[in-house]
Amino acid sequence: MLLLVPSILLISTVLSQDIPEYGPISANFDAWLDRNGYGKYDYARLDLGTAGSFGGMSSDMEYFDTSKDPVIFFHGNSDAALTANNFSTGWTTTVQYFLNQGYTLGHLYGTSWGNTNTTAAVERDHDCVTVFRLRKFVEAVMDYTGAKQINIISHSMGVTLARKVILGGYINADDGSCNIGKPLGNKVRVILGIAGANFGLCACVGHWLGVTWPTCNDDNGLWPGETCYPNPMNGQCAASPLPSPCNGLTYSKFLMDLNNSRFKPAQHIFSMWSMGDDLIGDGNMVWGRPTSEIPFSDSNKIYKNYTHMETKLNTAADQFHIITQLTIP
């Protein structure tokens, strides 16, 4: 299943190095969350130890550099906020890079969603509980820091989760129907999406077989649509350009709502992906479109040979450049 299992050799190499512990969230932030009604969301995620979360000031007296907008990180399916195991590498390398450039953990925030059980990854979609919890996390960071705007860096399924957090509105899912809230508007300065599946995944084609993973469902999952051809196994999903006479392709309602929204998710939008992505595959193409390109992106950064996880792990300097310079390096 795509977006789930990375190159273990690469990740083992990463874990063989000394890994600093940047989590969990600070005691100051955790106490603030409790005092302000956010305690029920368990943003610390101590079930994952120090990998479950990060961010927050050390005390009320800590100097907070207001010239730097907070950065909130959204990880992907079966990953974690920070390095947890051979699969869940989290945002440790990016956090370390930002800290080396003068940021503090008072500017950098992340919480884990779901769990790191890769065998359950095909069961996860954009459900109400997860999206609403992450939306409240963004609101909490803004309230805690007093920031008028934030930046978001996201990877894999975290890209589409982040986009829905920003857009707000309704979700219909197995855990019910919910309203995430109003669009965040111009409160998001930059959103950077890394190796996302904004138009779904060709690996999710197969409704005709009657076998559908929840992750691939056509309501709030990553179904790319397959109505252009009577035989979806003929490889046409990854064709580029979009084969004629395929018009008006219907795909996941969740993704269509995101992509057809009249609200921009941020003042500046950037997308990154790799042609060598081992999990998205198909040269990143889904029905004539690069699926990792967020609609209306200002610019895209395309790598040749990075794997799915390498596109996150090996690009911390590029991520920093985009957030701070608003250009593709």
Side-chain angles (χ1 to χ4, degrees), residues 182-206:
K182 295 180 180 180
L184 290 179
N186 60 3
K187 294 180 180 179
V188 183
R189 176 175 170 270
V190 178
I191 180 172
L192 169 58
I194 305 171
N198 298 288
F199 293 95
L201 295 170
C202 284
C204 283
V205 167

Side-chain angles (χ1 to χ4, degrees), residues 298-314:
D298 296 15
S299 297
N300 302 321
K301 179 73 173 182
I302 305 173
Y303 305 94
K304 290 183 179 179
N305 300 314
Y306 285 160
T307 66
H308 188 68
M309 301 304 280
E310 285 176 328
T311 309
K312 175 191 68 170
L313 289 168
N314 295 356

